[in-house]
Amino acid sequence: MNSSSLKHVYCHTMTKTQSTIFYCIVVLGLILIKIQLSEESELIIKRPNANLTRVPKDLPLQTTTLDVSQNNISELQTSDILLLSKLRVFIMSYNRLQYLNISVFKFNTELEYLDLSHNELRLISCHATADLKHLDLSFNAFDALPICKEFGNLSQLQFLGLSGSQIQNSSVQLIAHLNISKVLLVLGDTYGEKEDPKCLQHISTETLHIVFPSKREFHFLLDMSVSTAISLELSNIKCVLEDKNCSYFLGTLERLRKTQRLSNLTLNNVDTTWNSFINILQLVWHTPVKSFSISNVKLKGHFNFRRFHYSDTSLRALSIHQVVTDVFSFPQSNIYSIFSNMNIQSFTVSGTRMVHMLCPDQISPFLYLDFTDNLLTDIVFEDCRNLIRLKTLSLQKNQLKTLENIILMSMEMTSLQKLDISQNSLRYSDAGSPCSWTQSLLVLNLSSNMLTDSVFRCLPPKVKVLDLHNNRIVSISKDVTHLQALQELNVASNFLTDLPGCGAFSSLSVLVIDHNSVSHPSSDFFQSCQNIRSITAGNNPFRCTCELREFVKNIGQASREVVEGWPDSYRCDYPDSIKGTPLQDFHMSPLSCDTILLTVTIGATLLLLAAIGASLCLYFDLPWYLRMLWQWTQTRHRARNIPLEELQRNLQFHAFVSYSGHDSAWVKNELLPNLEKDDIRVCLHERNFVPGKSIVENIIHFIEKSYKSIFVLSPHFIQSEWCHYELYFAHHNLFHEGSDNLILILLEPIPQYSIPTNYHKLKTLMARRTYLEWPTEKSKHGLFWANLRASINVKLVNQAEATCYTQQ
Ligand SMILES: *[C@@H]1O[C@H](CO)[C@@H](O)[C@H](O)[C@H]1NC(C)=O
């Protein structure tokens, strides 16, 4: 269903706006699908220089571009390319094709770019052609121009490359009606000397490029007077014979005077004399040409100085590139004087060995001077006051040495906005010379020189773009000339160790500082440079330590568009263990970097431990455990100190246990089973007392036969039994000799007030807390018994006499 029928289906339910929007969406969708399809279908196969003798058979059928240039293919057949139905671009230049039937491409209906230049084609035949935009048959061995009548149908044709040794009017007529952007015509070596290719005028093209036979003296007639071409390029102009004075070529130029449309003239590969060269200039001066360019020039011979007629010219721009000359046999100033007084706006001399240029004799109309790649020195345009209109000057790649001289030179160029003095050997010594840069300068290229930090002490005050890359700058101190207008600063490939702040460059928006020695950049760069739109700081030897964290954070937060080359060119250089790691992946825990944080953390940990300890005490009664452990170790210690034999001599029992009748259940169910399971002999008074003796006598008797005496204390015990023992205690003066053999078990808490006031000893004992407390929690019972057993467990000798209490 196409978009319009979709629209019909939905129209009746929609308002007008809705349907318009819907229609737009559908159309947009179709466009998107189409874009996607065309992107997907792009498949480029390149097999240049592969020693092929045929077009390879194994090509994907989806191939859209096929490049088999620079091979040995001598034949091209329909079957070679038949299946490549998507083929749009076919490049087979530099092969050995001799014959071609253009209809081999009849099934490649998409084909629009066909390059068969630099083959050995002598003949082509055509029956059908695709609708080509680019057809190159130049640099072949055709005799007659290879123009089929089918070419007349190539209405899309933008480029046509032809070659031949004869030009027939009849074949040129076949394409006369086409509007081709560029025609390249290569004239074969046997092209007739006196032939008058007037028919070239019938080719309707904007740009015509004629390549003459390279080895022969220019001896051709060429009349372009009614040509429609705007640009004309002529290659291989050889007129070296002194007696001929280049007359044929000058004649050709002469005839260009009438070509009103012609605006650009380019001569390429010119081999001639100085005299002819100046004559050529002089002739072009009086044609309608506005822009004239000569490249790859070989000059020799003499120059007979004469006046150059500047007036009556359309010329605006002249460029001379790549000139090789003999040793000069005449004063070079004659040439410089002609050049410097030219009344044009734009003048380029590059790639020559020009050593000087004179100041124009009067105010010059030069706006643009480009003297790149010559041998000019510091004295060029010294004290020259006639270049006051000049806006752009390039002295790139010359022999300039002292920046002070260039600063002085610029002083007189009051309109100069752009100065390129890169790739020289400039130094700046700052030896008290005035800093007299012209105020008008906006773009200054000082790259690839020998400048040091001092250069920042004298810079043009209004400069917006400053290129200082590849110099010897070590630091940009804070007190440099304030460059309020500076927007772009390039200091790449220097020896800087830090990023410059923007204190002195308040408008800075682009900073390039890659390939320096920046190891730990200040983190406040982004705060200082609020206007920064782009920073390139990669390929520096970053030290990945704590100090770098802030910078990494800031640079990581800045958006990708701002930080050029992030993250790939930003890598750690130190420490060695992480050398090469992208800064993006460099993380340092905040703890290891911040002392305050570290202190706080340790403090917090200690506090936490204390809190855990406190809660252990509160919830699990830690002090009770500690007390028990203490008593246990004490007992152990004492047991070791008492001589064993003495102990063992009289004893029958491990322990004598005294308790109130109220507590007898606990004694029988808890105490006895827990002691006797370790073979501890226990004597209970209530069962074993000898009748006839008083209670006190009994008590004293059994206490003496027992290693320890255990008293189970409880309020009942105090009330009923304690009085018996008071006497015993008094008798033996127990508390003064030490209470080693006395074990008090506090079965239930005894409030202080419930102890009768005259029980001094009990009060003392209770106050000293020298008793074992029966824990209510079951979990603590184990330790309680262990402790108790430890304090009474001693080896007894006379076991047989045990009569106090016998186990069943
Ligand atoms: C400065 O000149 C160098 C070549 O010497 C060039 O690569 C660079 O782009 C120029 N800088 C500016 C800002 O034009």
Side-chain angles (χ1 to χ4, degrees), residues 534-650:
S534 158
I535 173 170
T536 311
N539 295 301
N540 274 296
F542 292 108
R543 288 173 66 95
C544 290
T545 55
C546 288
E547 291 95 80
L548 200 69
R549 278 171 49 243
E550 193 68 11
F551 175 74
V552 173
K553 201 178 107 210
N554 289 340
I555 206 166
Q557 274 167 1
S559 70
R560 286 287 148 92
E561 296 90 77
V562 171
V563 186
E564 307 288 336
W566 182 265
D568 287 347
S569 355
Y570 298 74
R571 290 172 187 273
C572 297
D573 188 63
Y574 174 92
D576 284 340
S577 56
I578 54 167
K579 196 172 176 145
T581 311
L583 291 200
Q584 193 185 29
D585 302 334
F586 158 68
H587 301 292
M588 199 102 187
S589 73
L591 192 57
S592 51
C593 288
D594 191 335
T595 22
I596 297 177
L597 194 60
L598 185 65
T599 326
V600 168
T601 313
I602 291 178
T605 317
L606 288 179
L607 268 178
L608 187 68
L609 283 178
I612 290 174
S615 57
L616 273 180
C617 290
L618 277 178
Y619 287 102
F620 302 104
D621 210 358
L622 194 66
W624 182 86
Y625 281 102
L626 292 178
R627 233 168 26 238
M628 290 302 264
L629 281 173
W630 170 246
Q631 283 172 359
W632 189 56
T633 41
Q634 287 294 302
T635 323
R636 277 292 166 102
H637 180 69
R638 273 199 301 268
R640 245 178 275 133
N641 289 347
I642 298 170
L644 252 176
E645 290 133 55
E646 196 196 324
L647 263 176
Q648 290 165 342
R649 212 178 315 130
N650 297 317

Side-chain angles (χ1 to χ4, degrees), residues 186-197:
V186 181
L187 301 178
D189 282 342
T190 58
Y191 176 67
E193 294 209 341
K194 298 265 163 75
E195 205 161 336
D196 179 7

Side-chain angles (χ1 to χ4, degrees), residues 169-431:
N169 205 356
S170 54
S171 54
V172 173
Q173 289 293 347
L174 294 173
I175 52 168
H177 61 284
L178 296 178
N179 245 324
I180 311 172
S181 305
K182 179 165 184 179
V183 172
L184 167 63
L185 178 61
V186 181
L187 301 178
D189 282 342
T190 58
Y191 176 67
E193 294 209 341
K194 298 265 163 75
E195 205 161 336
D196 179 7
K198 257 202 164 44
C199 43
L200 286 185
Q201 302 184 358
H202 300 301
I203 300 179
S204 167
T205 178
E206 275 175 25
T207 302
L208 177 61
H209 181 184
I210 305 177
V211 179
F212 291 95
S214 58
K215 297 192 185 76
R216 280 160 50 199
E217 182 82 1
F218 193 93
H219 215 272
F220 314 102
L221 293 166
L222 184 63
D223 189 351
M224 302 290 303
S225 48
V226 293
S227 160
T228 56
I230 295 169
S231 300
L232 177 64
E233 186 173 345
L234 304 174
S235 294
N236 300 338
I237 317 294
K238 183 168 178 175
C239 37
V240 287
L241 300 179
E242 289 280 352
D243 54 329
K244 292 269 171 32
N245 280 327
C246 209
S247 56
Y248 273 89
F249 186 63
L250 292 176
T252 300
L253 294 180
E254 186 88 51
R255 281 188 284 271
L256 290 182
R257 285 189 180 187
K258 287 173 256 162
T259 54
Q260 285 313 315
R261 278 173 64 101
L262 189 64
S263 167
N264 308 315
L265 176 64
T266 305
L267 306 182
N268 198 2
N269 288 335
V270 181
D271 187 358
T272 187
T273 61
W274 272 104
N275 274 328
S276 300
F277 180 70
I278 300 295
N279 282 338
I280 290 170
L281 276 186
Q282 181 70 81
L283 263 177
V284 173
W285 222 258
H286 301 302
T287 62
V289 170
K290 295 191 178 74
S291 168
F292 181 32
S293 167
I294 316 181
S295 1
N296 300 309
V297 188
K298 231 189 211 167
L299 295 178
K300 59 181 183 181
H302 225 68
F303 174 54
N304 308 321
F305 184 67
R306 53 184 176 74
R307 255 178 65 88
F308 193 91
H309 299 280
Y310 295 104
S311 57
D312 190 21
T313 185
S314 309
L315 202 66
R316 305 237 179 90
L318 169 64
S319 348
I320 302 171
H321 302 282
Q322 305 302 329
V323 179
V324 186
T325 56
D326 273 359
V327 180
F328 283 94
S329 52
F330 57 93
Q332 290 173 53
S333 54
N334 292 350
I335 304 289
Y336 300 145
S337 144
I338 289 177
F339 282 167
S340 63
N341 289 306
M342 288 190 302
N343 51 341
I344 53 178
Q345 295 177 348
S346 166
F347 181 39
T348 302
V349 180
S350 75
T352 75
R353 300 189 62 80
M354 179 167 78
V355 293
H356 192 52
M357 180 52 66
L358 295 172
C359 183
D361 294 338
Q362 50 199 315
I363 304 283
S364 163
F366 284 140
L367 298 179
Y368 176 98
L369 287 179
D370 181 355
F371 297 147
T372 298
D373 193 11
N374 292 293
L375 300 175
L376 300 173
T377 60
D378 290 3
I379 55 167
V380 69
F381 298 138
E382 193 175 29
D383 290 327
C384 178
R385 300 198 164 81
N386 289 333
L387 287 171
I388 50 172
R389 300 202 186 143
L390 190 63
K391 288 208 164 97
T392 305
L393 173 61
S394 172
L395 298 173
Q396 186 188 113
K397 216 171 175 192
N398 276 280
Q399 305 274 309
L400 309 180
K401 295 217 158 60
T402 312
L403 186 60
E404 285 91 324
N405 293 335
I406 307 302
I407 296 175
L408 278 175
M409 175 200 82
S410 85
M411 192 169 80
E412 307 290 350
M413 300 175 175
T414 47
S415 305
L416 191 67
Q417 296 184 343
K418 205 171 160 187
L419 176 62
D420 183 349
I421 41 178
S422 62
Q423 300 189 57
N424 282 280
S425 319
L426 286 166
R427 293 168 198 266
Y428 180 68
S429 59
D430 186 25

Side-chain angles (χ1 to χ4, degrees), residues 128-143:
T129 58
D131 205 1
L132 295 169
K133 288 182 179 157
H134 182 108
L135 172 60
D136 197 348
L137 297 167
S138 61
F139 297 98
N140 275 290
F142 296 111
D143 213 22

Side-chain angles (χ1 to χ4, degrees), residues 396 420 422-423 445 447 465 467 469:
Q396 186 188 113
D420 183 349
S422 62
Q423 300 189 57
N445 197 337
S447 64
V465 179
D467 192 341
H469 83 260

